[in-house]
Amino acid sequence: MKISIIGAGIIGSAIAKSLIKGCYGEKIIATRRRIEKLGELKDLGVDVTRDNKYAAKEGDIIILTVKPKDVKKVLTEIRKEITGKLVISLAAAVPLQYLKDVAPEARFVRAMPNVAVLVQEAFIGYCVGSDVTEEDKKTVKEIFKTMGKSVEVEEKDMDAITGLSGSGPAYIAILIEALMYAGLKVGLSRDLALFASAQTVLGTGKLIIETKKHSSEIKDMVVTPAGTTIEGIYEIEESGIRSAIMRAVEAATKKSKQITELIKNNG
């Protein structure tokens, strides 16, 4: 199976590397206007090119990683070459019907990964077009498995996925940065404070996923009467951090919906 990545920027390049690490695909093709930026992929054996039509023609599966504003232009350019093929679009807020209207002969999957694809730990929410086959779905799951964890959702949930997990690494990065500065305040070195903060967030996430315990259960495992943790939690609850995070996700989801409507209206 040959996989073509159209628009291999940061995420597209990370996807190519994930496919290579996962030993998926007999050949990977990646396109970018500034082809000199793809030197690392070329060294890894990726066929790099500026020619989107060539990549679309050669690929059995197409992964579209261009910006939302460029989707129509690129799909129109490669429309003939993707006839009858499966196309996975990672363009944020671009709905399935819009993709289908531009290139009706292709079968589309709409997906939202996050930047953790860079280390093969992304969360990927995705939805599929009505003509996507069961075999297509199996293929999509295998492709996403090289990048992290994936869940098929209804398209109506994609804006919320964008606001929560798509933007989520930025929220968590702020939390880690806050923990790091807290470490500095209580006397830790910068490197130690950052490493301890990041590993604590990573470990807590793994605890929830692997033990299937609710986040409140994890919290209660740490809290003891008159202990250190309850003192810290008291200060956190006073800060309103919960509502701030909820507002952040709500605002990002609303923005995604606005972008979707703008794309629809501009045709």
Side-chain angles (χ1 to χ4, degrees):
M1 184 177 294
K2 299 175 184 177
I3 301 174
S4 292
I5 302 168
I6 308 293
I10 293 175
I11 297 298
S13 294
I15 288 170
K17 293 174 185 176
S18 296
L19 292 169
I20 291 168
K21 287 182 180 179
C23 300
Y24 195 92
E26 67 177 83
K27 182 179 181 180
I28 298 170
I29 305 162
T31 76
R32 188 169 179 174
R33 282 175 297 192
R34 298 182 63 183
I35 198 172
E36 67 275 8
K37 295 282 188 178
L38 299 181
E40 186 179 358
L41 292 187
K42 187 175 181 180
D43 291 342
L44 292 172
V46 175
D47 182 2
V48 302
T49 178
R50 292 188 181 89
D51 192 338
N52 289 337
K53 286 189 175 183
Y54 161 77
K57 183 178 180 180
E58 286 291 305
D60 300 305
I61 294 174
I62 314 301
I63 301 179
L64 194 65
T65 58
V66 300
K67 295 177 181 178
K69 67 181 181 64
D70 296 325
V71 166
K72 185 174 183 179
K73 177 184 175 182
V74 172
L75 279 182
T76 301
E77 178 188 4
I78 63 174
R79 176 175 168 175
K80 290 182 180 178
E81 287 74 19
I82 60 175
T83 295
K85 294 182 180 180
L86 179 65
V87 179
I88 301 171
S89 171
L90 306 187
V94 180
L96 288 169
Q97 189 57 57
Y98 181 90
L99 299 168
K100 195 70 173 174
D101 288 343
V102 179
E105 300 86 358
R107 305 187 306 282
F108 286 99
V109 171
R110 173 186 173 187
M112 172 48 63
N114 60 33
V115 73
V117 71
L118 289 164
V119 290
Q120 294 77 55
E121 287 292 350
F123 175 81
I124 307 159
Y126 69 95
C127 59
V128 303
S130 58
D131 55 351
V132 168
T133 68
E134 288 302 316
E135 191 62 33
D136 288 336
K137 289 184 181 182
K138 289 179 183 178
T139 299
V140 168
K141 287 292 286 186
E142 288 299 313
I143 289 174
F144 288 157
K145 189 176 180 180
T146 70
M147 306 174 201
K149 304 292 191 298
S150 66
V151 176
E152 183 180 350
V153 300
E154 295 182 37
E155 187 167 25
K156 67 179 180 62
D157 294 327
M158 287 299 292
D159 291 314
I161 291 291
T162 301
L164 176 64
S165 63
S167 301
Y171 313 146
I172 300 302
I174 290 172
L175 175 60
I176 291 172
E177 186 178 51
L179 285 170
M180 180 197 72
Y181 283 130
L184 294 177
K185 193 173 190 298
V186 295
L188 297 180
S189 69
R190 183 177 296 272
D191 288 346
L192 177 57
L194 179 58
F195 179 68
S197 300
Q199 181 62 37
T200 299
V201 170
L202 175 64
T204 304
K206 193 171 183 180
L207 260 177
I208 291 171
I209 291 171
E210 294 193 2
T211 66
K212 294 181 170 56
K213 291 183 181 293
H214 192 275
S215 54
S216 62
E217 292 181 87
I218 303 298
K219 181 185 65 177
D220 289 342
M221 288 167 63
V222 184
V223 176
T224 55
T228 60
T229 306
I230 192 61
E231 290 296 320
I233 286 177
Y234 179 80
E235 294 296 331
I236 288 173
E237 295 295 356
E238 286 284 294
S239 73
I241 190 171
R242 290 174 186 264
S243 57
I245 292 173
M246 291 170 69
R247 289 195 302 271
V249 173
E250 187 177 31
T253 300
K254 182 179 179 180
K255 183 65 175 181
S256 181
K257 290 179 179 179
Q258 289 172 346
I259 295 171
T260 298
E261 288 304 313
L262 187 62
I263 290 169
K264 287 179 180 178
N265 294 335
N266 289 344

